[in-house]
Amino acid sequence: MPLLLALFLLADVIVLFTLGAKLGLALTLIWIVLSAAFGLHLIRRESLLTLQRARERLALGELPSDELLAGATFVLAGVLLMAPGFLSDLLGLICLLPGSGQLARRWFPRATVGGAGSGGRSQGASHSEWEPAPRAADNASSDHDTSAGRPLEGDFLERDGRDGDSR
């Protein structure tokens, strides 16, 4: 993956200098500044709108995974538009197309409700219901899950790593 990113960045710089030589310095700089400003505006606007839509879905008791994935796609588009280069701008504009959210859902099935490895999410008819993971039987002598050997979130641990409930 880092090699692929490095190759993409190298190709982006080569295309930037090649097209910059043909278009001229002024036009290239104007394109870079305008695309960066548009990317920054997109990140600001979409992050706030995504947060608002996610809060509305949470208030209804639903998982906001579709909203978060769409918001992440727009933020990625904004970051790509802020990067100086014509290939990154092209990829950012592709992320803005209406079908790019469905494409992202296919590529990242874990990020969507009901996808592979969805963890306690329902895969039934309603894609927005949360089914809690089954808990281990509660022990009266212990406040944490001893089957995993780890304390639950919120359990007090002493500095040396032992459980705080040594009685």
Side-chain angles (χ1 to χ4, degrees):
M1 188 69 145
L3 181 63
L4 185 63
L5 181 64
L7 289 175
F8 178 76
L9 290 175
L10 180 65
D12 201 15
V13 168
I14 290 171
V15 169
L16 176 69
F17 284 128
T18 304
L19 286 177
K22 293 185 191 266
L23 295 175
L25 179 64
L27 194 56
T28 303
L29 288 177
I30 289 172
W31 175 263
I32 289 172
V33 169
L34 287 178
S35 68
F38 179 64
L40 183 63
H41 170 71
L42 188 66
I43 288 173
R44 283 183 175 174
R45 188 189 80 189
E46 284 302 319
S47 61
L48 291 175
L49 288 175
T50 300
L51 183 63
Q52 179 183 2
R53 287 189 303 253
R55 283 183 180 169
E56 289 172 358
R57 293 275 307 259
L58 282 174
L60 294 173
E62 300 174 349
L63 283 180
S65 62
D66 290 338
E67 284 79 10
L68 293 177
L69 188 61
T73 304
F74 279 114
V75 169
L76 176 65
V79 168
L80 287 170
L81 286 169
M82 287 179 58
F86 289 106
L87 289 180
S88 59
D89 289 347
L90 180 66
L91 192 58
L93 291 174
I94 289 172
C95 287
L96 292 177
L97 293 175
S100 65
Q102 285 80 19
L103 187 62
R105 281 187 206 95
R106 275 193 221 140
W107 284 353
F108 306 108
R110 290 183 184 197
T112 60
V113 174
S118 62
R121 294 184 207 131
S122 172
Q123 294 183 9
S126 174
H127 291 293
S128 60
E129 294 180 11
W130 176 256
E131 294 177 5
R135 284 188 62 153
D138 293 332
N139 289 340
S141 63
S142 174
D143 290 337
H144 65 277
D145 185 8
T146 57
S147 64
R150 303 185 316 249
L152 290 175
E153 182 179 355
D155 281 356
F156 174 76
L157 297 178
E158 293 180 358
R159 284 188 180 251
D160 63 351
R162 293 182 298 151
D163 290 343
D165 57 346
S166 58
R167 296 178 187 142

